[in-house]
Amino acid sequence: MEDTTNQAIVLLLNLPHPCLGGINLLSFTTTPRFYGIKNLPPGWHFVFTSSTSSLSVRHGAWFHVKGPSSAPPSSSAAPSPPELFIKKWDSATETLLPETSPTALLHWRANLGSIYRDGLTPYRQSATQDRDEEETNDWARLTDCITPALLTRITGETPDHWSLTSASSAKVDIDDIPGLPSSSAAGPLAEKELGFLPIDLKQTWRAGATGRERTHAAQDRSWYLSSLITTYCREDENEVLGELQFCFLMVLTLNNHSCLEQWKRVLGLLFTCISAVGQRPGFFVRAIQTLQLQLRHCGDVEGGLFDLREEGAGLLRGLVRRFRKGLEEVEGVGKVDVVDELEELEEYLREEFGWEFEGEFVRRGMLELEDGERVEMEMSGYEEDDESGEYAPMVVELTPAQASALDVGDAGTLSLPERLHKVKRESKSESEESEEAEESEDEQDLDDMDARF
Ligand SMILES: *[C@@H]1O[C@H](CO)[C@@H](O)[C@H](O)[C@H]1NC(C)=O
């Protein structure tokens, strides 16, 4: 049997019982005997907890296991002790804090023996070895672009503990649950700004660019991607994928809505690049692979508020369609790999969600730049769907009927701004209808919630 006694351990102390605990893609309800998790493989891990086992505030922290040193074990030396991570639940702030006191660390290390067998749950515990392998490998791939630099930029913390919470996303629900403090966000820990890449898809050209250059940069965001990589990622393009991975996993495990918005922005940027595909084909292959793997895991964590399938529908469909169209213009030896990978993704979406891509009509619309200039372009799902967000008043979508109305219909009597205004109003009223439909669904959800509590 494999010797596991020197594999890493994370202790989760002072948890209320029962509480929801989780590590990576696994979640569980804790018992009073639970002290933590043993047999952690090397690599990134994310532990999270919630003060109750329902869907309330969740808090979690990343840490990195180096793994047993690769030096060959010499028979004379004692086996190296396991790496030990200690996180304490602080009920006042409802957060996991790192235990840094050397005395406490010594104490727990000395007492590991007494809790090792019954107090620590093994990380791998599926019925079969194969399933374990698959989960561990997928987790490794879901985090393979995450780096200490990325986590420090986003969470603003230092090694080896990078934490975040889902403070406000469930706030409305929290207010309604008796017995829970009505606003934990107003506590001693004010909401922390996450240091995401400042992606603004409305301004994707260099300072001072004018005319054609600007229009081009609005239609093909490649310049903008490079500039973000240079300015914020120390030229490490994989950090953009790391951010995509981070955001996805924080939506999955914590339901952190800010991360969901950023996940959409990163995808919105990547899949509206054209010339960059020829320059960085390997990067785009990895981006598409990352997205597909994420989609395969979007239902993994119990109690996830967010269903990527629904959310993704409008966004992804549009983006994939538009990206494929853009690829037609790309030249370069690496292009074929990107096309292959995209076809695989489409195949997966077709099988899993029944989406069709062949022969689909790509919508054209007008994107209004921040100074009021309008650029005609193919619209991705991101722009189409984000009626409520920053795009709301800026995007004018043209259905074929509206487009032809623009060309002929009123053309003689209305000025261009008037015509656009008319089209805008028409598409607005459509979206209002769908918003109403969504609202009644939300009410339905609330009723369901009430029934449970
Ligand atoms: C996401 O996490 C950050 C950092 O912990 C937190 O400040 C923010 O409130 C969270 N956002 C939501 C919507 O949960």
PDB file of all heavy atoms in Angstrom, residues 77-97:
ATOM      1  N   ALA A  77      17.726   8.815   7.151  1.00  0.00           N
ATOM      2  CA  ALA A  77      16.952   9.964   7.611  1.00  0.00           C
ATOM      3  C   ALA A  77      15.515   9.566   7.938  1.00  0.00           C
ATOM      4  O   ALA A  77      14.955   8.663   7.320  1.00  0.00           O
ATOM      5  CB  ALA A  77      16.951  11.049   6.546  1.00  0.00           C
ATOM      6  N   ALA A  78      14.942  10.259   8.913  1.00  0.00           N
ATOM      7  CA  ALA A  78      13.538  10.024   9.234  1.00  0.00           C
ATOM      8  C   ALA A  78      12.702  10.549   8.078  1.00  0.00           C
ATOM      9  O   ALA A  78      13.121  11.473   7.383  1.00  0.00           O
ATOM     10  CB  ALA A  78      13.178  10.783  10.508  1.00  0.00           C
ATOM     11  N   PRO A  79      11.519   9.947   7.791  1.00  0.00           N
ATOM     12  CA  PRO A  79      10.678  10.450   6.714  1.00  0.00           C
ATOM     13  C   PRO A  79      10.264  11.893   7.021  1.00  0.00           C
ATOM     14  O   PRO A  79      10.073  12.244   8.183  1.00  0.00           O
ATOM     15  CB  PRO A  79       9.472   9.513   6.728  1.00  0.00           C
ATOM     16  CG  PRO A  79       9.488   8.846   8.070  1.00  0.00           C
ATOM     17  CD  PRO A  79      10.911   8.838   8.527  1.00  0.00           C
ATOM     18  N   SER A  80      10.180  12.719   5.968  1.00  0.00           N
ATOM     19  CA  SER A  80       9.860  14.124   6.214  1.00  0.00           C
ATOM     20  C   SER A  80       8.432  14.235   6.759  1.00  0.00           C
ATOM     21  O   SER A  80       7.547  13.489   6.344  1.00  0.00           O
ATOM     22  CB  SER A  80      10.010  14.922   4.923  1.00  0.00           C
ATOM     23  OG  SER A  80       9.145  14.385   3.947  1.00  0.00           O
ATOM     24  N   PRO A  81       8.212  15.163   7.696  1.00  0.00           N
ATOM     25  CA  PRO A  81       6.872  15.304   8.258  1.00  0.00           C
ATOM     26  C   PRO A  81       5.934  15.891   7.217  1.00  0.00           C
ATOM     27  O   PRO A  81       6.388  16.550   6.277  1.00  0.00           O
ATOM     28  CB  PRO A  81       7.082  16.288   9.417  1.00  0.00           C
ATOM     29  CG  PRO A  81       8.302  17.053   9.048  1.00  0.00           C
ATOM     30  CD  PRO A  81       9.153  16.139   8.222  1.00  0.00           C
ATOM     31  N   PRO A  82       4.634  15.635   7.347  1.00  0.00           N
ATOM     32  CA  PRO A  82       3.694  16.161   6.350  1.00  0.00           C
ATOM     33  C   PRO A  82       3.626  17.680   6.407  1.00  0.00           C
ATOM     34  O   PRO A  82       3.817  18.277   7.464  1.00  0.00           O
ATOM     35  CB  PRO A  82       2.361  15.555   6.758  1.00  0.00           C
ATOM     36  CG  PRO A  82       2.497  15.205   8.203  1.00  0.00           C
ATOM     37  CD  PRO A  82       3.948  14.899   8.414  1.00  0.00           C
ATOM     38  N   GLU A  83       3.367  18.310   5.253  1.00  0.00           N
ATOM     39  CA  GLU A  83       3.083  19.753   5.265  1.00  0.00           C
ATOM     40  C   GLU A  83       1.774  19.947   6.021  1.00  0.00           C
ATOM     41  O   GLU A  83       0.823  19.193   5.830  1.00  0.00           O
ATOM     42  CB  GLU A  83       2.889  20.252   3.835  1.00  0.00           C
ATOM     43  CG  GLU A  83       4.159  20.562   3.091  1.00  0.00           C
ATOM     44  CD  GLU A  83       3.860  20.844   1.617  1.00  0.00           C
ATOM     45  OE1 GLU A  83       3.511  21.983   1.296  1.00  0.00           O
ATOM     46  OE2 GLU A  83       3.953  19.900   0.803  1.00  0.00           O
ATOM     47  N   LEU A  84       1.738  20.982   6.839  1.00  0.00           N
ATOM     48  CA  LEU A  84       0.558  21.196   7.676  1.00  0.00           C
ATOM     49  C   LEU A  84       0.030  22.617   7.475  1.00  0.00           C
ATOM     50  O   LEU A  84       0.767  23.588   7.602  1.00  0.00           O
ATOM     51  CB  LEU A  84       0.941  20.977   9.143  1.00  0.00           C
ATOM     52  CG  LEU A  84      -0.157  21.197  10.172  1.00  0.00           C
ATOM     53  CD1 LEU A  84      -1.307  20.218   9.971  1.00  0.00           C
ATOM     54  CD2 LEU A  84       0.421  21.061  11.587  1.00  0.00           C
ATOM     55  N   PHE A  85      -1.255  22.719   7.127  1.00  0.00           N
ATOM     56  CA  PHE A  85      -1.909  24.026   6.975  1.00  0.00           C
ATOM     57  C   PHE A  85      -3.011  24.114   8.026  1.00  0.00           C
ATOM     58  O   PHE A  85      -3.746  23.154   8.220  1.00  0.00           O
ATOM     59  CB  PHE A  85      -2.519  24.161   5.578  1.00  0.00           C
ATOM     60  CG  PHE A  85      -1.506  24.040   4.471  1.00  0.00           C
ATOM     61  CD1 PHE A  85      -1.125  22.773   4.002  1.00  0.00           C
ATOM     62  CD2 PHE A  85      -0.909  25.156   3.918  1.00  0.00           C
ATOM     63  CE1 PHE A  85      -0.183  22.645   2.999  1.00  0.00           C
ATOM     64  CE2 PHE A  85       0.037  25.041   2.907  1.00  0.00           C
ATOM     65  CZ  PHE A  85       0.411  23.780   2.449  1.00  0.00           C
ATOM     66  N   ILE A  86      -3.108  25.243   8.693  1.00  0.00           N
ATOM     67  CA  ILE A  86      -4.149  25.380   9.716  1.00  0.00           C
ATOM     68  C   ILE A  86      -4.998  26.615   9.440  1.00  0.00           C
ATOM     69  O   ILE A  86      -4.478  27.725   9.296  1.00  0.00           O
ATOM     70  CB  ILE A  86      -3.537  25.482  11.131  1.00  0.00           C
ATOM     71  CG1 ILE A  86      -2.605  24.286  11.381  1.00  0.00           C
ATOM     72  CG2 ILE A  86      -4.644  25.509  12.178  1.00  0.00           C
ATOM     73  CD1 ILE A  86      -2.006  24.261  12.769  1.00  0.00           C
ATOM     74  N   LYS A  87      -6.309  26.385   9.323  1.00  0.00           N
ATOM     75  CA  LYS A  87      -7.254  27.490   9.121  1.00  0.00           C
ATOM     76  C   LYS A  87      -8.239  27.458  10.280  1.00  0.00           C
ATOM     77  O   LYS A  87      -8.749  26.395  10.636  1.00  0.00           O
ATOM     78  CB  LYS A  87      -8.037  27.316   7.811  1.00  0.00           C
ATOM     79  CG  LYS A  87      -7.201  26.922   6.601  1.00  0.00           C
ATOM     80  CD  LYS A  87      -6.398  28.065   6.076  1.00  0.00           C
ATOM     81  CE  LYS A  87      -5.472  27.640   4.943  1.00  0.00           C
ATOM     82  NZ  LYS A  87      -4.399  28.606   4.723  1.00  0.00           N
ATOM     83  N   LYS A  88      -8.477  28.633  10.856  1.00  0.00           N
ATOM     84  CA  LYS A  88      -9.417  28.720  11.980  1.00  0.00           C
ATOM     85  C   LYS A  88     -10.661  29.473  11.542  1.00  0.00           C
ATOM     86  O   LYS A  88     -10.558  30.526  10.908  1.00  0.00           O
ATOM     87  CB  LYS A  88      -8.796  29.523  13.136  1.00  0.00           C
ATOM     88  CG  LYS A  88      -7.648  28.899  13.823  1.00  0.00           C
ATOM     89  CD  LYS A  88      -7.131  29.854  14.894  1.00  0.00           C
ATOM     90  CE  LYS A  88      -6.701  31.206  14.288  1.00  0.00           C
ATOM     91  NZ  LYS A  88      -5.933  32.043  15.233  1.00  0.00           N
ATOM     92  N   TRP A  89     -11.806  28.968  11.930  1.00  0.00           N
ATOM     93  CA  TRP A  89     -13.046  29.685  11.655  1.00  0.00           C
ATOM     94  C   TRP A  89     -13.218  30.769  12.709  1.00  0.00           C
ATOM     95  O   TRP A  89     -13.160  30.505  13.914  1.00  0.00           O
ATOM     96  CB  TRP A  89     -14.225  28.719  11.698  1.00  0.00           C
ATOM     97  CG  TRP A  89     -15.549  29.386  11.445  1.00  0.00           C
ATOM     98  CD1 TRP A  89     -16.540  29.606  12.357  1.00  0.00           C
ATOM     99  CD2 TRP A  89     -16.034  29.879  10.195  1.00  0.00           C
ATOM    100  NE1 TRP A  89     -17.605  30.216  11.752  1.00  0.00           N
ATOM    101  CE2 TRP A  89     -17.329  30.398  10.425  1.00  0.00           C
ATOM    102  CE3 TRP A  89     -15.499  29.956   8.903  1.00  0.00           C
ATOM    103  CZ2 TRP A  89     -18.095  30.974   9.418  1.00  0.00           C
ATOM    104  CZ3 TRP A  89     -16.274  30.518   7.900  1.00  0.00           C
ATOM    105  CH2 TRP A  89     -17.552  31.015   8.162  1.00  0.00           C
ATOM    106  N   ASP A  90     -13.408  31.996  12.255  1.00  0.00           N
ATOM    107  CA  ASP A  90     -13.646  33.089  13.187  1.00  0.00           C
ATOM    108  C   ASP A  90     -15.125  33.458  13.088  1.00  0.00           C
ATOM    109  O   ASP A  90     -15.560  34.009  12.078  1.00  0.00           O
ATOM    110  CB  ASP A  90     -12.760  34.284  12.807  1.00  0.00           C
ATOM    111  CG  ASP A  90     -13.013  35.469  13.721  1.00  0.00           C
ATOM    112  OD1 ASP A  90     -13.130  35.256  14.941  1.00  0.00           O
ATOM    113  OD2 ASP A  90     -13.125  36.601  13.203  1.00  0.00           O
ATOM    114  N   SER A  91     -15.888  33.132  14.135  1.00  0.00           N
ATOM    115  CA  SER A  91     -17.338  33.280  13.994  1.00  0.00           C
ATOM    116  C   SER A  91     -17.757  34.748  13.988  1.00  0.00           C
ATOM    117  O   SER A  91     -18.808  35.090  13.439  1.00  0.00           O
ATOM    118  CB  SER A  91     -18.072  32.507  15.094  1.00  0.00           C
ATOM    119  OG  SER A  91     -17.568  32.907  16.347  1.00  0.00           O
ATOM    120  N   ALA A  92     -16.965  35.617  14.583  1.00  0.00           N
ATOM    121  CA  ALA A  92     -17.344  37.033  14.587  1.00  0.00           C
ATOM    122  C   ALA A  92     -17.376  37.589  13.166  1.00  0.00           C
ATOM    123  O   ALA A  92     -18.287  38.314  12.775  1.00  0.00           O
ATOM    124  CB  ALA A  92     -16.370  37.839  15.439  1.00  0.00           C
ATOM    125  N   THR A  93     -16.392  37.227  12.377  1.00  0.00           N
ATOM    126  CA  THR A  93     -16.325  37.757  11.013  1.00  0.00           C
ATOM    127  C   THR A  93     -16.780  36.732   9.978  1.00  0.00           C
ATOM    128  O   THR A  93     -16.842  37.037   8.794  1.00  0.00           O
ATOM    129  CB  THR A  93     -14.881  38.172  10.654  1.00  0.00           C
ATOM    130  OG1 THR A  93     -14.030  37.040  10.853  1.00  0.00           O
ATOM    131  CG2 THR A  93     -14.404  39.304  11.538  1.00  0.00           C
ATOM    132  N   GLU A  94     -17.091  35.518  10.458  1.00  0.00           N
ATOM    133  CA  GLU A  94     -17.456  34.428   9.556  1.00  0.00           C
ATOM    134  C   GLU A  94     -16.430  34.245   8.446  1.00  0.00           C
ATOM    135  O   GLU A  94     -16.764  34.209   7.259  1.00  0.00           O
ATOM    136  CB  GLU A  94     -18.848  34.656   8.970  1.00  0.00           C
ATOM    137  CG  GLU A  94     -19.917  34.766  10.048  1.00  0.00           C
ATOM    138  CD  GLU A  94     -21.305  34.399   9.541  1.00  0.00           C
ATOM    139  OE1 GLU A  94     -21.600  34.766   8.412  1.00  0.00           O
ATOM    140  OE2 GLU A  94     -22.036  33.724  10.288  1.00  0.00           O
ATOM    141  N   THR A  95     -15.188  34.157   8.850  1.00  0.00           N
ATOM    142  CA  THR A  95     -14.133  33.933   7.865  1.00  0.00           C
ATOM    143  C   THR A  95     -13.169  32.863   8.378  1.00  0.00           C
ATOM    144  O   THR A  95     -13.100  32.600   9.577  1.00  0.00           O
ATOM    145  CB  THR A  95     -13.315  35.213   7.594  1.00  0.00           C
ATOM    146  OG1 THR A  95     -12.863  35.729   8.841  1.00  0.00           O
ATOM    147  CG2 THR A  95     -14.136  36.263   6.885  1.00  0.00           C
ATOM    148  N   LEU A  96     -12.449  32.304   7.432  1.00  0.00           N
ATOM    149  CA  LEU A  96     -11.378  31.374   7.782  1.00  0.00           C
ATOM    150  C   LEU A  96     -10.086  32.168   7.879  1.00  0.00           C
ATOM    151  O   LEU A  96      -9.702  32.851   6.935  1.00  0.00           O
ATOM    152  CB  LEU A  96     -11.211  30.324   6.684  1.00  0.00           C
ATOM    153  CG  LEU A  96     -12.150  29.133   6.664  1.00  0.00           C
ATOM    154  CD1 LEU A  96     -11.901  28.325   5.396  1.00  0.00           C
ATOM    155  CD2 LEU A  96     -11.961  28.257   7.893  1.00  0.00           C
ATOM    156  N   LEU A  97      -9.421  32.087   9.017  1.00  0.00           N
ATOM    157  CA  LEU A  97      -8.163  32.798   9.178  1.00  0.00           C
ATOM    158  C   LEU A  97      -7.025  31.789   9.229  1.00  0.00           C
ATOM    159  O   LEU A  97      -7.202  30.681   9.723  1.00  0.00           O
ATOM    160  CB  LEU A  97      -8.179  33.605  10.483  1.00  0.00           C
ATOM    161  CG  LEU A  97      -9.301  34.630  10.629  1.00  0.00           C
ATOM    162  CD1 LEU A  97      -9.269  35.258  12.016  1.00  0.00           C
ATOM    163  CD2 LEU A  97      -9.178  35.695   9.546  1.00  0.00           C
TER     164      LEU A  97
END
